[in-house]
Amino acid sequence: MHEIKFKVNGEEKTASVESRLLLVHLIRENLSMTGTHIGCDTSSCGACTVLIDGKSAKSCTILAVQINGKDITTVEGLATAEGLHPLQEGFKENHALQCGFCTPGVMLRAVELLEKNPNPTEEEIRWGISGNLCRCTGYNNIVKAIQYAGAKMRGAELPSTEPEFV
Amino acid sequence: MIKCKTSKEIGGMGHSIKRKEDARFIQGKGNYVDDIKLPGMLYMDIVRSPYAYAKILNIDASKALEIPGVVAVVTGKDLEKYNLHWMPTLMSDTQMVLPTDTVMYQAQEVAAVIATSRYIARDGKEAVMVEYEPMKPLINAHKALDADAPLMRPDKEGQTNNHIWHWEAGDKEATDKVFADADVVVKEHMYIPRIHVASIETCGCVASYDKVDNHLTMYMTTQAPHAIRTVIALVAGHVGLTEEKIRVISPDIGGGFGGKVPVYPGYVIAIAVSFLTGSPIKWIEDRSENLQADSFARDYHIDVEMAGTKDGKIQATRFKVLADHGYTDASANPSKFPTGLFSIGTGSYDYGTAFMEADAVYTNKPPGGVAYRCSFRVTEAVHAIERITDIFAKEVNKDPAQLRFENFIKKEDFPWKSPTGWEYDSGDYHAGLQKAMDAIEYDALRKEQVEKRAEGKLMGIGISTFTEIVGAGPSKDFDILGIKMFDSAEIRVHPTGKAIARFGTKSQGQGHETTYAQIIAEELGIPSAHIQIEEGDTDTAPYGLGTYASRSTPTAGAAAAVAARKLRDKARKIAAYLMEVSEEDLEWEPGKFSVKGAPEKSKTIQEIVFAAYTNHPPGMEAGFEATHYYDPPNLTFPSGAYICVVDIDNETFEIKVRRFVAIDDCGNIINPMIVQGQVHGGLTQGIAPAMYEELIYDEDGNILNGTFMDYLVPTAVESPSWETGHTITPSPHHPIGAKGVGESPTVGAPPAIANAIVDALSVYGIQHMDIPITPYKIWKKLKEMGKI
């Protein structure tokens, strides 16, 4: 067993873990934070995406021992006392989720995407989230949601959230 | 613009209300089955067969049982003691829970390991030693009926070959005659490959049996909790687990698409182990297990023919299907429809003669035949008719759009009797196709195509104008295991005018918590924001057959409207009493009754509801609640006109979908934002089988792409930017004129894409390519043809 010390959503944590324990299981089972999901066993779907020191990572592919001393952000840490994160708002306003299972992972991936590129094009967003699978939305509205969040974070005018279903 | 009868505050039909359910999902507060943790819970993992067909000689669990934390290893022999080693399928076939002697497909469940943690269960699984004697499997469905084919189901009395059932629809003699006399006959063989829904959440459960109360609570990923409760009672009733002792809870579901309708062996093993140990048992599949063992969709080999005149009038169609069901028929069709609603395959065209037949066979592949966002075989049928229509257009030298216009059923001819016996309720196919052509600028595209071809470039335009058939179904024909396919709604309005409504369906992302509230708001004028929707708990919700096959709005949505109307009738009586006028003197507008000619004299629905609890008329039952079980008089027939433009690289044959316009007609629209979202998602599940997805088996029955590394679910990069729109032809028999939409895009998109690709490749003389159409397949075909 290994003693590790880390932060989750700003809170100091310690845990005693087996060498083989995956980060996603540390988060879901040991910490009982179930917003991070598991959708595959080959690192393909991105449902388990979290931020490690601000960089998006698939938590099914990282051992818990590797996060010793690091700072993790999960979906539970996106909203603040002031309210929802712009991505959370963007996803809701633009109907960018249906079953909601992939959503936390896509949003966390998009946090890093917008950090690096505050005003991404549609193509940049599509490539940027290509490590995250969504089976429900067809991605159109996820693209819109990320553009909406980008605009909000830049202080730019918010794009319309009306569906173009004419 | 969609006209709304209610204000934005009331939020009835037609408003793009943001979804109520989103608040929990975007904050990581959804409650999916793997999020459930119970005290003393044990974990189950499943040992699976590496062979497609083998005798089990021995299962040695001793090493596994030595691992600290491994509690038990369960085999078929253990379940046999309780007669729980076999279970019925929804099609009245039988399926092994765990085998006692033979495995019938690769990845079949062989034994279950129960342990104190997920990791120890996996250690235990690795330590179980199974000795097999492999046999030569039957993989090719075309060889299933050969004399030397191994008999798949010797366990079934009277089963002397691998034939499961034969099915027919239409008039064979009349069809043969039209074909014999026709000027033009075109034919093609099409394989609609085996695919998998691959919802991002896999399947799983927590089975929790309480030995003291003899009561089972079953949390599971199911689209049909009530039907599943009945099935569990049928399977386990003999050991004392009767239906009143079973509570099925379907929590938040991470996508279903039909894959969460069946009862999988894992669920039953978890129940059996919980029953025997008294501990809650959690079983969650891996993705690979999900892809390799859970029910597949499609796998139809179709010979389709069309007869017509030289000037392009369709006269008849003929379909012959070979259906590969794997080792058991575990489809989820209505009982009387072994091929589901395949007989919709005569399409959107006005002709009177057709014949269809299908034969199903057993093979050494996983069982199923359920769904991929369309359970009832409509996708297969639509692919065949829309492809053969294009082939016919080419044969008679007509533009495929023009040929469709000339053959469409006209809007004034509805209701229309199809040659296979359906009564299409309504449609306006001309308007839909015209709208799609205008949106994509069809004529300009055809001109561009001529120019591109002159430059040696490959560009294709494909059309699909499909008719869907959903909303199963009328009880005279539709049942599953004898249970009629009605659905239900129960509305309770509290004294302060706020409501809770419960349904027999179960959302898996469709947004029922929002849309059902809108239907009730439309009928009662109570703001949809004040109406809480609940589904998925068999202890509280009224009985219903669940959510699949685009049936929720046509059945439970209708039930909601009818139940709300019962309440409005009661409200009218109370209003008349309160205002001391007769009921006939009252006028309804959303949210209130007012006196005719004296609009200042009115009672709001909230005042009326309060009176139902505080001041109800003498002799009237107090309270404000209603329930309705809706038995649809007919199915509903949504339709759509889709046009796809592709560019194909003439060296690498990479296919780029340049544009895709989808015009859907699902009748009256409850929430345009949600309908559009359904269309987007369905289209991506349409491009998936058209260009990427297929479960591939080698001749030994090994699955070659059973993980997300190689089973290619489209990402945001493969998925085009969809362009969507609608026409509205209300269903005349549905209480709110709605038709259902979830399946439509998955049904309509593949032939539009295939037609576009074949159109691009027609310069090489190609008439047809089976989906998924990939660059490699194109290269291979052209190589074989000597074109490159």
PDB file of all heavy atoms in Angstrom, chain A residues 63-82:
ATOM      1  N   LEU A  63      -2.501   5.791 -12.788  1.00  0.00           N
ATOM      2  CA  LEU A  63      -2.563   5.124 -11.486  1.00  0.00           C
ATOM      3  C   LEU A  63      -2.720   6.165 -10.383  1.00  0.00           C
ATOM      4  O   LEU A  63      -2.180   7.272 -10.484  1.00  0.00           O
ATOM      5  CB  LEU A  63      -1.281   4.311 -11.262  1.00  0.00           C
ATOM      6  CG  LEU A  63      -1.085   3.151 -12.240  1.00  0.00           C
ATOM      7  CD1 LEU A  63       0.326   2.589 -12.130  1.00  0.00           C
ATOM      8  CD2 LEU A  63      -2.120   2.055 -11.991  1.00  0.00           C
ATOM      9  N   ALA A  64      -3.422   5.768  -9.362  1.00  0.00           N
ATOM     10  CA  ALA A  64      -3.631   6.689  -8.243  1.00  0.00           C
ATOM     11  C   ALA A  64      -2.300   7.164  -7.667  1.00  0.00           C
ATOM     12  O   ALA A  64      -2.157   8.334  -7.317  1.00  0.00           O
ATOM     13  CB  ALA A  64      -4.474   6.005  -7.170  1.00  0.00           C
ATOM     14  N   VAL A  65      -1.304   6.263  -7.610  1.00  0.00           N
ATOM     15  CA  VAL A  65      -0.014   6.661  -7.024  1.00  0.00           C
ATOM     16  C   VAL A  65       0.661   7.782  -7.822  1.00  0.00           C
ATOM     17  O   VAL A  65       1.483   8.518  -7.283  1.00  0.00           O
ATOM     18  CB  VAL A  65       0.980   5.468  -6.914  1.00  0.00           C
ATOM     19  CG1 VAL A  65       0.512   4.492  -5.856  1.00  0.00           C
ATOM     20  CG2 VAL A  65       1.169   4.767  -8.259  1.00  0.00           C
ATOM     21  N   GLN A  66       0.294   7.914  -9.099  1.00  0.00           N
ATOM     22  CA  GLN A  66       0.927   8.948  -9.931  1.00  0.00           C
ATOM     23  C   GLN A  66       0.451  10.356  -9.578  1.00  0.00           C
ATOM     24  O   GLN A  66       1.036  11.325 -10.051  1.00  0.00           O
ATOM     25  CB  GLN A  66       0.638   8.688 -11.419  1.00  0.00           C
ATOM     26  CG  GLN A  66       1.338   7.465 -11.981  1.00  0.00           C
ATOM     27  CD  GLN A  66       0.914   7.218 -13.421  1.00  0.00           C
ATOM     28  OE1 GLN A  66      -0.110   6.605 -13.678  1.00  0.00           O
ATOM     29  NE2 GLN A  66       1.699   7.716 -14.363  1.00  0.00           N
ATOM     30  N   ILE A  67      -0.626  10.464  -8.824  1.00  0.00           N
ATOM     31  CA  ILE A  67      -1.120  11.822  -8.556  1.00  0.00           C
ATOM     32  C   ILE A  67      -0.644  12.349  -7.199  1.00  0.00           C
ATOM     33  O   ILE A  67      -1.102  13.394  -6.747  1.00  0.00           O
ATOM     34  CB  ILE A  67      -2.651  11.912  -8.683  1.00  0.00           C
ATOM     35  CG1 ILE A  67      -3.339  10.964  -7.706  1.00  0.00           C
ATOM     36  CG2 ILE A  67      -3.107  11.648 -10.099  1.00  0.00           C
ATOM     37  CD1 ILE A  67      -4.410  11.632  -6.932  1.00  0.00           C
ATOM     38  N   ASN A  68       0.268  11.635  -6.596  1.00  0.00           N
ATOM     39  CA  ASN A  68       0.831  12.111  -5.337  1.00  0.00           C
ATOM     40  C   ASN A  68       1.378  13.531  -5.534  1.00  0.00           C
ATOM     41  O   ASN A  68       2.170  13.778  -6.439  1.00  0.00           O
ATOM     42  CB  ASN A  68       1.939  11.157  -4.879  1.00  0.00           C
ATOM     43  CG  ASN A  68       2.352  11.437  -3.452  1.00  0.00           C
ATOM     44  OD1 ASN A  68       1.558  11.949  -2.652  1.00  0.00           O
ATOM     45  ND2 ASN A  68       3.596  11.117  -3.124  1.00  0.00           N
ATOM     46  N   GLY A  69       0.905  14.457  -4.713  1.00  0.00           N
ATOM     47  CA  GLY A  69       1.376  15.837  -4.801  1.00  0.00           C
ATOM     48  C   GLY A  69       0.695  16.669  -5.871  1.00  0.00           C
ATOM     49  O   GLY A  69       1.050  17.824  -6.069  1.00  0.00           O
ATOM     50  N   LYS A  70      -0.266  16.087  -6.558  1.00  0.00           N
ATOM     51  CA  LYS A  70      -0.884  16.823  -7.664  1.00  0.00           C
ATOM     52  C   LYS A  70      -2.275  17.350  -7.276  1.00  0.00           C
ATOM     53  O   LYS A  70      -2.835  16.997  -6.241  1.00  0.00           O
ATOM     54  CB  LYS A  70      -0.962  15.949  -8.907  1.00  0.00           C
ATOM     55  CG  LYS A  70       0.421  15.577  -9.427  1.00  0.00           C
ATOM     56  CD  LYS A  70       0.349  15.010 -10.823  1.00  0.00           C
ATOM     57  CE  LYS A  70       1.662  14.406 -11.276  1.00  0.00           C
ATOM     58  NZ  LYS A  70       2.764  15.371 -11.345  1.00  0.00           N
ATOM     59  N   ASP A  71      -2.793  18.160  -8.195  1.00  0.00           N
ATOM     60  CA  ASP A  71      -4.052  18.861  -7.956  1.00  0.00           C
ATOM     61  C   ASP A  71      -5.073  18.392  -8.995  1.00  0.00           C
ATOM     62  O   ASP A  71      -4.879  18.580 -10.192  1.00  0.00           O
ATOM     63  CB  ASP A  71      -3.761  20.363  -8.124  1.00  0.00           C
ATOM     64  CG  ASP A  71      -4.881  21.222  -7.597  1.00  0.00           C
ATOM     65  OD1 ASP A  71      -5.987  20.699  -7.382  1.00  0.00           O
ATOM     66  OD2 ASP A  71      -4.642  22.436  -7.418  1.00  0.00           O
ATOM     67  N   ILE A  72      -6.133  17.745  -8.532  1.00  0.00           N
ATOM     68  CA  ILE A  72      -7.129  17.152  -9.441  1.00  0.00           C
ATOM     69  C   ILE A  72      -8.377  18.027  -9.453  1.00  0.00           C
ATOM     70  O   ILE A  72      -8.831  18.492  -8.405  1.00  0.00           O
ATOM     71  CB  ILE A  72      -7.556  15.746  -8.936  1.00  0.00           C
ATOM     72  CG1 ILE A  72      -6.345  14.862  -8.614  1.00  0.00           C
ATOM     73  CG2 ILE A  72      -8.495  15.053  -9.927  1.00  0.00           C
ATOM     74  CD1 ILE A  72      -5.469  14.563  -9.777  1.00  0.00           C
ATOM     75  N   THR A  73      -8.950  18.200 -10.638  1.00  0.00           N
ATOM     76  CA  THR A  73     -10.273  18.835 -10.725  1.00  0.00           C
ATOM     77  C   THR A  73     -11.233  17.848 -11.376  1.00  0.00           C
ATOM     78  O   THR A  73     -10.930  17.295 -12.433  1.00  0.00           O
ATOM     79  CB  THR A  73     -10.232  20.124 -11.574  1.00  0.00           C
ATOM     80  OG1 THR A  73      -9.226  20.974 -11.048  1.00  0.00           O
ATOM     81  CG2 THR A  73     -11.570  20.846 -11.550  1.00  0.00           C
ATOM     82  N   THR A  74     -12.363  17.630 -10.743  1.00  0.00           N
ATOM     83  CA  THR A  74     -13.421  16.787 -11.321  1.00  0.00           C
ATOM     84  C   THR A  74     -14.626  17.669 -11.597  1.00  0.00           C
ATOM     85  O   THR A  74     -14.640  18.858 -11.239  1.00  0.00           O
ATOM     86  CB  THR A  74     -13.844  15.673 -10.350  1.00  0.00           C
ATOM     87  OG1 THR A  74     -14.517  16.273  -9.241  1.00  0.00           O
ATOM     88  CG2 THR A  74     -12.645  14.874  -9.845  1.00  0.00           C
ATOM     89  N   VAL A  75     -15.647  17.069 -12.188  1.00  0.00           N
ATOM     90  CA  VAL A  75     -16.859  17.840 -12.528  1.00  0.00           C
ATOM     91  C   VAL A  75     -17.465  18.486 -11.288  1.00  0.00           C
ATOM     92  O   VAL A  75     -18.024  19.583 -11.349  1.00  0.00           O
ATOM     93  CB  VAL A  75     -17.879  16.939 -13.259  1.00  0.00           C
ATOM     94  CG1 VAL A  75     -18.403  15.825 -12.357  1.00  0.00           C
ATOM     95  CG2 VAL A  75     -19.033  17.760 -13.810  1.00  0.00           C
ATOM     96  N   GLU A  76     -17.295  17.825 -10.146  1.00  0.00           N
ATOM     97  CA  GLU A  76     -17.866  18.373  -8.916  1.00  0.00           C
ATOM     98  C   GLU A  76     -17.188  19.684  -8.526  1.00  0.00           C
ATOM     99  O   GLU A  76     -17.730  20.446  -7.719  1.00  0.00           O
ATOM    100  CB  GLU A  76     -17.742  17.354  -7.763  1.00  0.00           C
ATOM    101  CG  GLU A  76     -18.659  16.134  -7.878  1.00  0.00           C
ATOM    102  CD  GLU A  76     -18.046  14.959  -8.647  1.00  0.00           C
ATOM    103  OE1 GLU A  76     -17.013  15.160  -9.327  1.00  0.00           O
ATOM    104  OE2 GLU A  76     -18.607  13.847  -8.582  1.00  0.00           O
ATOM    105  N   GLY A  77     -16.015  19.932  -9.095  1.00  0.00           N
ATOM    106  CA  GLY A  77     -15.283  21.148  -8.742  1.00  0.00           C
ATOM    107  C   GLY A  77     -15.448  22.280  -9.749  1.00  0.00           C
ATOM    108  O   GLY A  77     -14.799  23.317  -9.625  1.00  0.00           O
ATOM    109  N   LEU A  78     -16.295  22.097 -10.751  1.00  0.00           N
ATOM    110  CA  LEU A  78     -16.422  23.139 -11.787  1.00  0.00           C
ATOM    111  C   LEU A  78     -17.209  24.352 -11.300  1.00  0.00           C
ATOM    112  O   LEU A  78     -16.825  25.494 -11.531  1.00  0.00           O
ATOM    113  CB  LEU A  78     -17.093  22.563 -13.044  1.00  0.00           C
ATOM    114  CG  LEU A  78     -16.212  21.776 -14.019  1.00  0.00           C
ATOM    115  CD1 LEU A  78     -17.030  21.342 -15.231  1.00  0.00           C
ATOM    116  CD2 LEU A  78     -15.013  22.603 -14.478  1.00  0.00           C
ATOM    117  N   ALA A  79     -18.324  24.104 -10.646  1.00  0.00           N
ATOM    118  CA  ALA A  79     -19.150  25.229 -10.188  1.00  0.00           C
ATOM    119  C   ALA A  79     -18.489  25.867  -8.965  1.00  0.00           C
ATOM    120  O   ALA A  79     -17.785  25.200  -8.212  1.00  0.00           O
ATOM    121  CB  ALA A  79     -20.545  24.748  -9.839  1.00  0.00           C
ATOM    122  N   THR A  80     -18.713  27.154  -8.802  1.00  0.00           N
ATOM    123  CA  THR A  80     -18.166  27.855  -7.629  1.00  0.00           C
ATOM    124  C   THR A  80     -19.333  28.474  -6.871  1.00  0.00           C
ATOM    125  O   THR A  80     -20.490  28.351  -7.287  1.00  0.00           O
ATOM    126  CB  THR A  80     -17.217  28.976  -8.073  1.00  0.00           C
ATOM    127  OG1 THR A  80     -17.971  29.914  -8.845  1.00  0.00           O
ATOM    128  CG2 THR A  80     -16.051  28.448  -8.881  1.00  0.00           C
ATOM    129  N   ALA A  81     -18.999  29.153  -5.786  1.00  0.00           N
ATOM    130  CA  ALA A  81     -20.042  29.810  -4.991  1.00  0.00           C
ATOM    131  C   ALA A  81     -20.813  30.815  -5.853  1.00  0.00           C
ATOM    132  O   ALA A  81     -21.986  31.094  -5.624  1.00  0.00           O
ATOM    133  CB  ALA A  81     -19.413  30.499  -3.793  1.00  0.00           C
ATOM    134  N   GLU A  82     -20.136  31.349  -6.869  1.00  0.00           N
ATOM    135  CA  GLU A  82     -20.816  32.341  -7.742  1.00  0.00           C
ATOM    136  C   GLU A  82     -21.784  31.687  -8.715  1.00  0.00           C
ATOM    137  O   GLU A  82     -22.574  32.351  -9.347  1.00  0.00           O
ATOM    138  CB  GLU A  82     -19.791  33.150  -8.543  1.00  0.00           C
ATOM    139  CG  GLU A  82     -19.077  34.243  -7.767  1.00  0.00           C
ATOM    140  CD  GLU A  82     -17.838  33.710  -7.057  1.00  0.00           C
ATOM    141  OE1 GLU A  82     -16.902  33.307  -7.767  1.00  0.00           O
ATOM    142  OE2 GLU A  82     -17.839  33.660  -5.807  1.00  0.00           O
TER     143      GLU A  82
END
